[in-house]
Amino acid sequence: MRWPNTLKIVIPGKLKFPFIKDGVCFYERRLKNYTNFSLEERKVGKAKDPEIMKQNEGKALLRGQEKAFIIALDERGKEFTSKEWAEYLEDLLQREKEISFLIGGAYGLSQEVLNEAHLKLSLSRFTLGHEIAVLVLCEQLYRALTIIAGEPYHK
């Protein structure tokens, strides 16, 4: 099954770790079999003050998201099992044309991003580095889409 929707993950800055880039590329190829998928790395100006940095990142992450269903990744967000997530995502895919996952940098997401989000999603009760969170999210999106499609990836 191929969905006409757009799923995108938006992050501040670029992925730095080669093993993360390789993993994201691996899942990106697989995800594109199900839907339009992209990882958007947004350029953000540096700031010494963490709060200003969060605000700068927040503005960059929200740019161009006016039509998107925004999911902010936050450790205090809603947790799902993989099957629950697949059901939730399937419902979203039936209702929303564009779904954007926003992941903050080292200082997390700005309050503005959290306020704009339609859903706050937690991947784990652990705090994950943003690059690890990107890779885990890619895998969980792929897992959910295979569950929806009735494919045997999820056991």
Side-chain angles (χ1 to χ4, degrees):
M1 166 172 260
R2 177 143 171 84
W3 297 90
N5 313 60
T6 297
L7 296 180
K8 62 183 170 181
I9 299 173
V10 186
I11 62 170
K14 293 188 176 285
L15 293 176
K16 294 179 182 90
F17 298 118
F19 73 96
I20 298 286
K21 288 181 189 178
D22 290 346
V24 170
C25 285
F26 173 82
Y27 285 108
E28 185 174 27
R29 284 190 302 274
R30 289 177 171 225
L31 286 164
K32 286 184 177 183
N33 291 321
Y34 298 92
T35 191
N36 301 310
F37 173 80
S38 65
L39 172 68
E40 293 185 10
E41 300 168 312
R42 299 281 173 88
K43 188 173 183 174
V44 179
K46 299 288 181 199
K48 290 183 180 183
D49 182 277
E51 202 53 44
I52 293 172
M53 191 67 197
K54 263 187 1 184
Q55 290 172 2
N56 291 348
E57 289 177 353
K59 287 181 174 107
L61 293 173
L62 288 170
R63 193 172 47 249
Q65 303 300 333
E66 296 80 19
K67 295 179 182 176
F69 185 91
I70 297 172
I71 299 176
L73 271 72
D74 184 84
E75 63 188 4
R76 297 169 300 268
K78 182 168 176 51
E79 294 179 335
F80 293 90
T81 66
S82 292
K83 288 186 179 182
E84 290 168 344
W85 173 239
E87 289 173 9
Y88 186 87
L89 184 61
E90 183 174 27
D91 180 60
L92 276 183
L93 289 167
Q94 292 172 3
R95 294 187 286 116
E96 304 293 337
K97 185 175 179 157
E98 185 177 323
I99 303 165
S100 292
F101 297 86
L102 307 185
I103 299 177
Y107 303 111
L109 291 167
S110 69
Q111 192 59 50
E112 183 182 13
V113 170
L114 294 172
N115 292 344
E116 290 292 321
H118 299 96
L119 171 69
K120 293 168 195 74
L121 174 67
S122 174
L123 295 175
S124 170
R125 294 176 86 182
F126 286 120
T127 300
L128 301 175
H130 68 282
E131 291 202 20
I132 294 291
V134 171
L135 183 55
V136 171
L137 178 58
C138 286
E139 193 280 336
Q140 286 300 306
L141 287 170
Y142 177 69
R143 180 177 298 275
L145 291 170
T146 61
I147 290 170
I148 293 166
E151 294 175 3
Y153 177 78
H154 179 74
K155 295 173 177 92

